[in-house]
Amino acid sequence: MVSSAVRIEELERISASIRGRSLRMVHSAKTGHPGGDFSSTDILVSLYFGVMRAGGTWTNAPDRDRFVMSKGHCSGAFYCTLAEAGCFPAEWLDTYMQPLSMLNGHPDRNKLPGVEANTGPLGHGMPIATGMALAARISGASWRTFILTGDGELQEGSNWEAAMTAAHYGLDNLTLIVDRNRIQQGAWTEETIRLEPLADKWRAFGWAVHEVDGHDHAAMLELFGRLPFEKGKPNCVIAHTHKGQGVSFMMDRPEWHHKVPSDAELAAALKELQS
């Protein structure tokens, strides 16, 4: 049996690899969202390699868990995760955002294996994920639905309409993870539209809420292992993260929401990630 320490070490290795690969993709494409890629990487890795059930394959098994990347602008980390999970050949990553590439700036389920929903316009993922969870409930299926949103994304009202619907139907097979890095395009979230007290808002909408360090694989695996948190309530995990996690000059810097690294910055970042 593989020890838990070895397992966590492997998840950390995958995360570091995904951060490096996604940053090289952004550098090559001359566009992307590396700050959010880095804040969400550990969450994605914990879900795909420690929590969600593939049912044999992520692309077409009827009993696979579903995942919706609502913050679709952070496609670099998402695509790297899907490639690592075997959804498509890693070589495809080299085509990121190139003309006619299947790896668009935002995920497209009609083009890329492993993508469950088209996302990009913020606030669309929650209604889609809620519908998926309700469909599983109606059909008596055992698969679960997970969704990752940005925190600034929660300023879109459609999230809260879906939140009311999920609570009304008691969708405890639905788990929302909020990437709470506290930065959105151009500024900190609390300077733009205040979100706090965020946990209390979700509880008021009828959700079971827990908070976790979104860069601590062990803590996330333990918490997700307790799903559902309360029978008859949808699950909300507020994952506290850092924009640009893993690279000192990127971390907690609003400009890295949508910034392309120079050649020197790329080299410096890769050196930090490999150390």
Side-chain angles (χ1 to χ4, degrees), residues 14-125:
I14 295 173
S15 287
S17 175
I18 286 175
R19 286 191 174 96
R21 187 70 184 86
S22 65
L23 192 62
R24 291 195 299 271
M25 289 160 54
V26 169
H27 177 262
S28 177
K30 305 304 180 188
T31 185
H33 295 81
D37 281 336
F38 281 22
S39 67
S40 61
T41 293
D42 295 317
I43 300 168
L44 291 168
V45 169
S46 290
L47 287 173
Y48 272 87
F49 304 104
V51 177
M52 295 195 301
R53 303 185 293 258
T57 173
W58 290 113
T59 56
N60 56 20
D63 58 345
R64 71 190 184 282
D65 285 339
R66 271 63 166 179
F67 174 79
V68 176
M69 184 66 165
S70 191
K71 48 180 293 180
H73 56 286
C74 294
S75 57
F78 183 41
Y79 292 157
C80 289
T81 302
L82 292 180
E84 183 73 25
C87 294
F88 55 82
E91 292 77 20
W92 290 9
L93 297 173
D94 295 334
T95 71
Y96 183 59
M97 292 206 206
Q98 292 182 8
L100 304 181
S101 171
M102 292 184 288
L103 281 70
N104 292 350
H106 296 97
D108 186 337
R109 69 182 301 273
N110 298 305
K111 293 186 176 182
L112 197 64
V115 175
E116 300 282 1
N118 293 17
T119 55
L122 299 179
H124 286 198

Side-chain angles (χ1 to χ4, degrees), residues 147-215:
I147 172 175
L148 179 62
T149 71
D151 46 4
E153 180 179 0
L154 296 182
Q155 295 159 3
E156 297 282 356
S158 52
N159 292 294
W160 301 100
E161 295 178 39
M164 287 190 290
T165 301
H168 175 78
Y169 287 105
L171 299 180
D172 56 13
N173 60 343
L174 174 64
T175 300
L176 162 72
I177 305 99
V178 179
D179 183 359
R180 187 68 171 114
N181 60 40
R182 298 179 179 271
I183 295 175
Q184 60 191 98
Q185 182 166 311
W188 296 81
T189 58
E190 304 310 285
E191 296 173 2
T192 307
I193 295 182
R194 187 172 62 250
L195 292 172
E196 295 297 338
L198 187 56
D200 289 343
K201 285 183 171 70
W202 284 101
R203 292 189 181 101
F205 271 71
W207 289 56
V209 183
H210 285 272
E211 301 185 55
V212 71
D213 181 343
H215 301 305

Side-chain angles (χ1 to χ4, degrees), residues 255-270:
E255 63 265 32
W256 282 99
H257 174 87
H258 194 7
K259 181 181 177 181
V260 176
S262 66
D263 292 349
E265 288 170 332
L266 175 65
L270 294 178

